[in-house]
Amino acid sequence: MLDEFINNLSLELQKIGYKVDLSPQIQGVHGLLYSWSPKRFRLGIAKVEDHFLFVDWDAMVIDRLDQLKEIYRHLSRHVNKGFQTPHALRIQIPNLAVIAISQVEFPQEVRAFARTTSLNPWYGGEVGQIILVEVGKKQVTSLRYLWSGRYPRPGAFALGHASSLIRQFCDRAFSNP
């Protein structure tokens, strides 16, 4: 069931021109699927490049939330190798999402983390988040609020874009037989 879902996601991403790797080679990470936008596109004042890494939550053994954070750090290092400009000076930024896929329900603490926490470095130049996909329930959990009071969360446009895209692709993949 998981392989079929990943293949459906891969096809959906390819339909809109995203590059896809079904056996990603990212140091320190065992991913199911890695996909990225082939070129940067404008969101607000920044140019953004999407990078989505899908991982198998059920294959993780202990301290799963910590593992997700560590996977994000590996993805960040991998992606940032392709950027010449230091983080703080960037107008072109990577938009990273680690998408954990599970056949069963995620623990409440992990769901709360995905709903409330973005993984932007304090010095900027990158935005990121954890997104959860429960295949059995056909449910996606991602950042709930992109605004803090009257002000947007740093990287709000890119974070919202990634969350929306993953929801759309997952909905289509869920409905494909």
Side-chain angles (χ1 to χ4, degrees), residues 2 8 14-15 34 48 57 74 126 139 147:
L2 185 59
N8 289 339
Q14 289 176 33
K15 282 180 188 176
Y34 174 48
V48 176
W57 171 266
H74 286 291
E126 169 186 319
Q139 182 175 328
W147 293 80

Side-chain angles (χ1 to χ4, degrees), residues 10 24 27 80 86 112 142 158:
S10 171
Q27 185 175 359
N80 280 294
S142 63

Side-chain angles (χ1 to χ4, degrees), residues 26 28 42 44 46 67 70 89 95 98 113 132 134 138-139 141 144-145 168 172:
I26 298 173
R42 186 166 297 284
Q67 275 187 289
E70 186 61 28
L89 303 176
N95 180 23
V98 172
F113 182 87
L132 309 175
E134 294 176 27
K138 298 183 178 183
Q139 182 175 328
T141 303
R144 184 177 282 171
Y145 302 108
Q168 289 173 26
R172 290 184 200 141

Side-chain angles (χ1 to χ4, degrees), residues 41-50 52 72 90-97 117-129 143 145-148 151-164:
F41 52 93
R42 186 166 297 284
L43 273 180
I45 61 169
K47 283 191 175 182
V48 176
E49 183 178 292
D50 286 337
F52 304 141
Y72 178 86
R90 290 182 185 166
I91 295 174
Q92 300 182 21
I93 61 171
N95 180 23
L96 311 178
T117 309
S118 58
L119 300 170
N120 311 340
W122 65 269
Y123 42 80
E126 169 186 319
V127 295
Q129 65 185 307
L143 282 171
Y145 302 108
L146 297 174
W147 293 80
S148 174
Y151 303 101
R153 179 188 296 262
F157 291 123
L159 294 167
H161 163 77
S163 179
S164 176

Side-chain angles (χ1 to χ4, degrees), residues 82-124:
F83 285 78
Q84 303 299 321
T85 308
H87 277 76
L89 303 176
R90 290 182 185 166
I91 295 174
Q92 300 182 21
I93 61 171
N95 180 23
L96 311 178
V98 172
I99 300 101
I101 300 176
S102 179
Q103 308 274 354
V104 297
E105 190 171 322
F106 289 94
Q108 191 57 36
E109 71 184 50
V110 176
R111 294 176 78 178
F113 182 87
R115 282 190 206 111
T116 61
T117 309
S118 58
L119 300 170
N120 311 340
W122 65 269
Y123 42 80

Side-chain angles (χ1 to χ4, degrees), residues 39-74:
K39 57 185 176 182
R40 295 175 182 144
F41 52 93
R42 186 166 297 284
L43 273 180
I45 61 169
K47 283 191 175 182
V48 176
E49 183 178 292
D50 286 337
H51 292 268
F52 304 141
L53 178 63
F54 296 81
V55 296
D56 186 352
W57 171 266
D58 300 330
M60 295 179 195
V61 188
I62 56 171
D63 296 326
R64 296 180 195 191
L65 182 54
D66 287 340
Q67 275 187 289
L68 283 179
K69 291 176 188 176
E70 186 61 28
I71 288 169
Y72 178 86
R73 285 189 281 278
H74 286 291

